[in-house]
Amino acid sequence: MSTAETAAGTPAPAEDPGLKRVLGPRLLILFVIGDILGTGIYATTGKVAGKVGGALWLPFVIGFVVAILTAASYVELVGKYPKAAGAALYTQKAFKVPFLTFIVAFMVMCSGLSSASAAARAFSGDYLAELTGDALPPTLVAICFIVLLAALNLRGVSESVKTNVVLTLVELLGLLIILAIGAYAVLTGDGEPSRLGEFESSGTGYALITGILGATALGFFAFVGFEDSVNMAEETKDPVRTFPRAIFVGVAVTGTIYVLVALISSLLVDHRVLEGSSGPLLEVVKAGGVGFPHELFALIALFAVTNSALINIMMASRLCYGMANERILPRAMSRVLPRRRTPVVGIAFVTLLAIGLVSTGEIEGLGDTTAFLLLCVFAVVNIAVLVLRRDPVDHRHFRAPTVLPVLGALTALILASPLADRPADVYIRAGVLLAIGVALWAVNKVVLRVRGED
């Protein structure tokens, strides 16, 4: 058996009691919602508005449809193979190419790091400036933010998870405040409805389409997170029945909130003002006319982006640790802190990569990098669904209509392509990250071969 097969989710040995199944339907729905909500809507709404104009809601509607298509594929696969490891497991089972499995797993890890880095940039921007003024250097604040999250991660998963629960409730509260402000504005006749149909591009045809695709690709960053939930399959009660409802409800709830927030943002604030702010929802609060304390909302937003960064740093460090344990990455990365039992080398490695990302990118570029990496992964997963139809299992499970994974793969590939009007630095950043991964993989293969362990 290859190490890649093991990493992709081969069942544990018989003597291993496995993970404790503690997540029921309600907890899993909350987990999915909490995993999706966060930096994307709080930080990139303005950048999406800059690409598309007043019709800010449209990219989020399209992104919602794309998310549902791919969510259907994940639901089928997690029901068919209710094991942890997610995209890596499905890739290995479908294609049985260990290097491709590694690339998919590493892309997932890097997407978490670029997402955490975007959150760090959002933390150091206008939300923080509302509380402290403009005296603090953003890049230094972002780096310190990453280091502090790494320290919390190093302390232990229990502390990290407890923090995550609190922050999830806070970030949901912030979005409900925006919805309440929007309802008040509609009832009092405030806002400018004509903006909702305005497009930034003055052209038609190809220019308009690429502009909308570019905005959708960036806006899709707000929807990522539902794919992480499948890694909880072995800790979920009756996952075959529980996951379909949890993922579809989670994506539907967050998608509805996002579209409403986008409508309210465009209704109350000109897209040029939104584009120029790293705290676009704060601009909505200021324009809402309800007297809600700006500083309090800024604090809520800081909690929200902190939660996103914490989840992604945790995910990336554990994925790095898992790949090292299976000897896909150098074994040194599987070392743990003796007393805390946390993956110290893995945490250090992903922290260094995150520091490099926040030092060389801004919110828009980092968010777009996250979306690009995951769109590539989603294309593979949607194709894997179709390939694995030839591998029946002996239990009933959700089966997506064939048209859904086909459309899911096509839409993911289109949004990942140059048609999405993505800046070149996004491809360069993603390429550098993958090059680092491939170099580590190659060095590890050489070491294993020299030791006769390959």
Side-chain angles (χ1 to χ4, degrees), residues 60-95:
F60 287 100
V61 170
I62 299 173
F64 172 58
V65 173
V66 175
I68 283 289
L69 294 174
T70 298
S73 293
Y74 271 94
V75 168
E76 175 171 337
L77 290 170
V78 76
K80 196 172 185 179
Y81 311 107
K83 298 288 183 182
L89 167 64
Y90 313 142
T91 302
Q92 181 61 26
K93 281 189 172 293
F95 306 107

Side-chain angles (χ1 to χ4, degrees), residues 16 38 114 234 274 343 412 425:
D16 188 340
S114 56
E234 294 180 54
L274 292 171
D425 68 286

Side-chain angles (χ1 to χ4, degrees), residues 79-163:
K80 196 172 185 179
Y81 311 107
K83 298 288 183 182
L89 167 64
Y90 313 142
T91 302
Q92 181 61 26
K93 281 189 172 293
F95 306 107
K96 295 179 172 56
V97 179
F99 182 69
L100 176 61
T101 301
F102 163 76
I103 289 295
V104 167
F106 200 80
M107 289 179 81
V108 172
M109 187 190 83
C110 290
S111 72
L113 294 179
S114 56
S115 178
S117 301
R121 276 293 184 180
F123 186 94
S124 65
D126 290 340
Y127 291 126
L128 184 62
E130 186 68 28
L131 301 176
T132 65
D134 299 321
L136 300 176
T139 301
L140 179 60
V141 171
I143 291 173
C144 291
F145 175 77
I146 290 291
V147 172
L148 287 174
L149 289 183
L152 177 60
N153 196 0
L154 195 62
R155 180 168 176 80
V157 68
S158 175
E159 290 81 356
S160 299
V161 170
K162 290 174 182 176
T163 303

Side-chain angles (χ1 to χ4, degrees), residues 317-328:
S317 63
R318 268 59 181 184
L319 190 51
C320 179
Y321 166 80
M323 286 191 286
N325 255 345
E326 300 301 334
R327 301 188 180 184
I328 299 171

Side-chain angles (χ1 to χ4, degrees), residues 66-83 85-91 104 108 220 225-231 233 239 243-244 247-248 251 373-382 385 397-398 400 405:
V66 175
I68 283 289
L69 294 174
T70 298
S73 293
Y74 271 94
V75 168
E76 175 171 337
L77 290 170
V78 76
K80 196 172 185 179
Y81 311 107
K83 298 288 183 182
L89 167 64
Y90 313 142
T91 302
V104 167
V108 172
F220 192 73
F226 67 88
E227 73 285 352
D228 288 337
S229 66
V230 300
N231 291 308
F243 265 95
I247 291 182
F248 286 134
V251 174
L373 289 168
L374 282 180
L375 285 166
C376 293
V377 172
F378 289 169
V380 173
V381 170
N382 280 301
V385 171
H397 61 86
F398 173 85

Side-chain angles (χ1 to χ4, degrees), residues 195-447:
R195 280 200 291 258
L196 301 179
E198 295 177 352
F199 289 90
E200 171 65 14
S201 174
S202 57
T204 57
Y206 182 79
L208 181 60
I209 291 173
T210 56
I212 294 173
L213 288 176
T216 301
L218 178 58
F220 192 73
F221 172 46
F223 287 94
V224 301
F226 67 88
E227 73 285 352
D228 288 337
S229 66
V230 300
N231 291 308
M232 306 300 292
E234 294 180 54
E235 295 167 89
T236 300
K237 300 173 184 177
D238 194 5
V240 175
R241 295 183 60 186
T242 303
F243 265 95
R245 180 184 178 192
I247 291 182
F248 286 134
V249 169
V251 174
V253 168
T254 52
T256 300
I257 291 174
Y258 285 172
V259 172
L260 290 174
V261 168
L263 284 167
I264 292 165
S265 298
S266 188
L267 182 71
L268 295 179
V269 185
D270 184 87
H271 74 273
R272 287 174 288 270
V273 176
L274 292 171
E275 181 185 12
S277 174
S278 59
L281 298 192
L282 182 59
E283 301 298 333
V284 177
V285 173
K286 291 178 178 179
V290 297
F292 190 87
H294 302 165
E295 295 81 2
L296 178 56
F297 186 84
L299 187 62
I300 291 172
L302 291 177
F303 282 143
V305 299
T306 298
N307 193 37
S308 294
L310 176 61
I311 291 174
N312 282 289
I313 288 288
M314 285 176 60
M315 180 275 289
S317 63
R318 268 59 181 184
L319 190 51
C320 179
Y321 166 80
M323 286 191 286
N325 255 345
E326 300 301 334
R327 301 188 180 184
I328 299 171
L329 288 178
R331 190 59 185 256
M333 290 187 176
S334 67
R335 290 178 184 170
V336 299
L337 202 61
R339 294 188 62 185
R340 307 302 305 185
R341 306 302 297 170
T342 49
V344 58
V345 177
I347 291 173
F349 174 67
V350 301
T351 300
L352 287 174
L353 286 183
I355 289 173
L357 287 169
V358 299
S359 301
T360 58
E362 298 295 336
I363 294 173
E364 181 176 355
L366 294 169
D368 214 347
T369 301
T370 303
F372 169 72
L373 289 168
L374 282 180
L375 285 166
C376 293
V377 172
F378 289 169
V380 173
V381 170
N382 280 301
I383 295 170
V385 171
L386 301 174
V387 173
L388 288 170
R389 294 276 171 86
R390 300 177 300 187
D391 179 33
V393 294
D394 58 3
H395 63 269
R396 296 183 63 183
H397 61 86
F398 173 85
R399 180 185 171 103
T402 301
V403 67
L404 298 187
V406 171
L407 290 176
L410 288 175
T411 53
L413 288 171
I414 289 171
L415 291 178
S417 75
L419 285 174
D421 194 27
R422 184 177 285 108
D425 68 286
V426 172
Y427 297 107
I428 294 171
R429 188 179 296 109
V432 169
L433 289 171
L434 288 179
I436 292 172
V438 171
L440 287 171
W441 181 84
V443 168
N444 187 58
K445 292 289 286 185
V446 170
V447 170

